[in-house]
Amino acid sequence: MLGLELARTTGLVGSQAGGQPWYCAAVGGRNTTTRRFALPRLPLERVHVEVTSHCNFACEFCPNPSLERPGGAMDFTLLGEVLDEISTSGVSRQVVFHQQGEPLLYPRLAEAVARGTGLGLTTCITTNGALLDDRRVDELLAAGLSRLVVSLQTPDEESFVIRGARGLSYPAFEARVVRAVRRIIAMDVPTEVRVAFLTKPWPRLTLPIVGNHWKIVEHNRDLHTLLEGWASRLLEGNDKAPAPGAIRKAVRRAGVLHRNELRLHPRLVLEARPVGMWSMPERDYGRPWLPARRGYCHGISEHIAVLWNGDYAFCCADHNGRTSTARFQDLSLLDYLDSEPVQEALQGFQKLRPSHPYCQLCLGGPHPGIVAVKAIGSILYFKVLRRLRRHAQA
């Protein structure tokens, strides 16, 4: 049984392991102090809080335009309760105001950031950047925002056509992003800005069904030119900008095959990573989809998500809430992490065997060869490369 297996793997015995039902919210209130199992280890790296599932873009590489779950925005009272419990329970020290949707559409976002900051949480917003006007920037900075991630992704006229920007021209988009980033890094605030780009290496392997027409960087030389040009634009006039030669040397380390993080200013980082194909087994792109029997994922062990309506999800990649087994309104964060579905998923990944049907499909693919590559790649990336990178950064 699950309880006996957990007792062997976590060292917990008796009622701590298998003698209680997985649903054990504290009588007369929510459980914010007691854990029954050792995994996942706390604090988690982050908790994703979806303030809204609505978006002003319809990006072809994003599942948001095809979401099958109901859309909406989180009630602000619920949002406050989620933030309070993240802080009180110690589940994580970082909250990311994003799962699906564009968070800047949420009218009380700055208030939410201020509340999280006041609770001692690291606050992060991921945005497409289209709504980053001076007013919103100043409100977020005043609220104490820790990190702003601008998903630039398509940094030129040719690639911008896949964003579904609904009346926004690329020149206007670029000008708004550049102005916002310059404004933030010029101010005496601790907010870090990360500007993210996409690459498209080995498209026949990484994008076997979609994306053939996406005009995204495929070669290192093009990535270097792209990053160098954007670094120059974003840092223009900044007295802490590195010399052009230093920028050129830094971007030469970037490659299309892996995730890149280039810190070119104390508070500006350029990121570049390969675009992937979101797992959408409910749509399948008209092709059969084979589930994976082997593989690893850092979802649950490093992060979880709370969707706009309070539903929990295992990870940030579960766009349709297929892994939702409970709601925040009914089950505390700690009891959710100790719940049987979460513990079963964790134990499966400990054995490199995804157990939840959605996890199997997420790590799966349309062809046995792709499934095998993803299985080996997920183990190498999450179990080996990420740990080596963190050790090097430490």
Side-chain angles (χ1 to χ4, degrees):
M1 296 295 290
L2 174 64
L4 295 177
E5 180 64 22
L6 290 170
R8 286 193 291 268
T9 57
T10 65
L12 300 176
V13 295
S15 63
Q16 288 181 297
Q20 300 180 35
W22 64 268
Y23 185 106
C24 63
V27 176
R30 294 175 68 88
N31 173 26
T32 59
T33 59
T34 305
R35 290 292 309 279
R36 295 182 300 133
F37 301 119
L39 298 177
R41 295 183 176 88
L42 300 184
L44 300 178
E45 181 181 289
R46 62 192 187 275
V47 175
H48 289 259
V49 179
E50 183 183 73
V51 292
T52 179
S53 63
H54 299 306
C55 190
N56 55 333
F57 276 20
C59 302
E60 293 184 20
F61 53 80
C62 178
N64 187 271
S66 303
L67 286 185
E68 296 189 353
R69 59 183 170 95
M74 184 174 285
D75 177 79
F76 191 73
T77 299
L78 174 61
L79 176 54
E81 293 171 352
V82 171
L83 295 176
D84 289 347
E85 192 165 308
I86 292 172
S87 174
T88 302
S89 63
V91 163
S92 181
R93 299 189 182 99
Q94 178 178 198
V95 59
V96 179
F97 292 101
H98 178 258
Q99 168 76 349
Q100 284 293 308
E102 169 51 54
L104 291 182
L105 290 173
Y106 191 67
R108 302 183 70 176
L109 183 61
E111 291 180 65
V113 171
R115 183 156 184 166
T117 301
L119 291 167
L121 299 172
T122 297
T123 53
C124 176
I125 291 173
T126 298
T127 173
N128 57 41
L131 299 176
L132 279 174
D133 56 21
D134 291 354
R135 177 184 62 82
R136 288 187 176 93
V137 167
D138 292 347
E139 287 178 350
L140 293 174
L141 296 182
L145 181 66
S146 305
R147 183 179 305 113
L148 180 72
V149 180
V150 182
S151 294
L152 188 63
Q153 314 297 31
T154 50
D156 53 46
E157 191 94 44
E158 190 175 31
S159 61
F160 188 68
V161 298
I162 68 174
R163 301 299 294 274
R166 302 170 188 170
L168 179 65
S169 68
Y170 174 75
F173 170 72
E174 178 182 313
R176 179 160 291 189
V177 170
V178 170
R179 179 179 175 86
V181 173
R182 288 179 180 174
R183 187 178 184 87
I184 295 171
I185 63 176
M187 291 186 178
D188 185 19
V189 293
T191 306
E192 178 187 80
V193 184
R194 289 178 172 254
V195 181
F197 305 84
L198 290 176
T199 64
K200 195 176 78 169
W202 296 346
R204 291 189 178 182
L205 176 63
T206 58
L207 299 168
I209 300 175
V210 298
N212 290 332
H213 67 287
W214 296 349
K215 303 300 182 181
I216 299 176
V217 172
E218 297 185 29
H219 305 290
N220 285 348
R221 62 180 180 276
D222 298 325
L223 177 62
H224 298 161
T225 301
L226 171 72
L227 294 175
E228 188 173 344
W230 268 91
S232 298
R233 283 198 287 278
L234 295 173
L235 291 167
E236 182 179 330
N238 191 286
D239 58 4
K240 294 183 180 179
I247 293 176
R248 193 173 303 112
K249 181 178 179 180
V251 302
R252 290 298 180 272
R253 299 196 299 267
V256 297
L257 289 173
H258 56 87
R259 185 183 182 92
N260 306 271
E261 294 187 359
L262 306 177
R263 185 173 294 278
L264 302 177
H265 179 277
R267 293 188 292 108
L268 176 63
V269 177
L270 301 188
E271 298 181 355
R273 62 173 178 81
V275 63
M277 186 174 65
W278 285 79
S279 298
M280 295 187 238
E282 62 274 6
R283 192 167 67 182
D284 286 348
Y285 300 102
R287 295 272 298 275
W289 199 266
L290 305 176
R293 302 303 177 191
R294 291 282 184 176
Y296 185 80
C297 179
H298 65 161
I300 315 178
S301 62
E302 292 187 7
H303 68 272
I304 58 172
V306 183
L307 305 184
W308 71 266
N309 62 352
D311 285 352
Y312 288 112
F314 282 3
C315 73
C316 62
D318 182 8
H319 52 280
N320 263 327
R322 301 301 191 200
T323 60
S324 179
T325 58
R327 297 195 315 155
F328 175 85
Q329 296 91 321
D330 303 324
L331 200 63
S332 71
L333 286 160
L334 293 182
D335 285 334
Y336 170 69
L337 294 176
D338 281 345
S339 69
E340 187 169 351
V342 170
Q343 291 297 318
E344 286 181 347
L346 285 167
Q347 292 305 309
F349 282 126
Q350 287 291 306
K351 300 173 184 177
L352 305 181
R353 292 181 179 272
S355 62
H356 192 280
Y358 184 81
C359 299
Q360 293 174 355
L361 290 170
C362 186
L363 288 168
H367 185 276
I370 293 175
V371 176
V373 169
K374 289 179 70 175
I376 296 171
S378 67
I379 295 169
L380 289 175
Y381 179 74
F382 289 119
K383 299 287 283 186
V384 180
L385 296 180
R386 278 174 61 91
R387 292 182 180 180
L388 290 175
R389 183 182 295 122
R390 288 181 177 179
H391 180 73
Q393 291 174 345

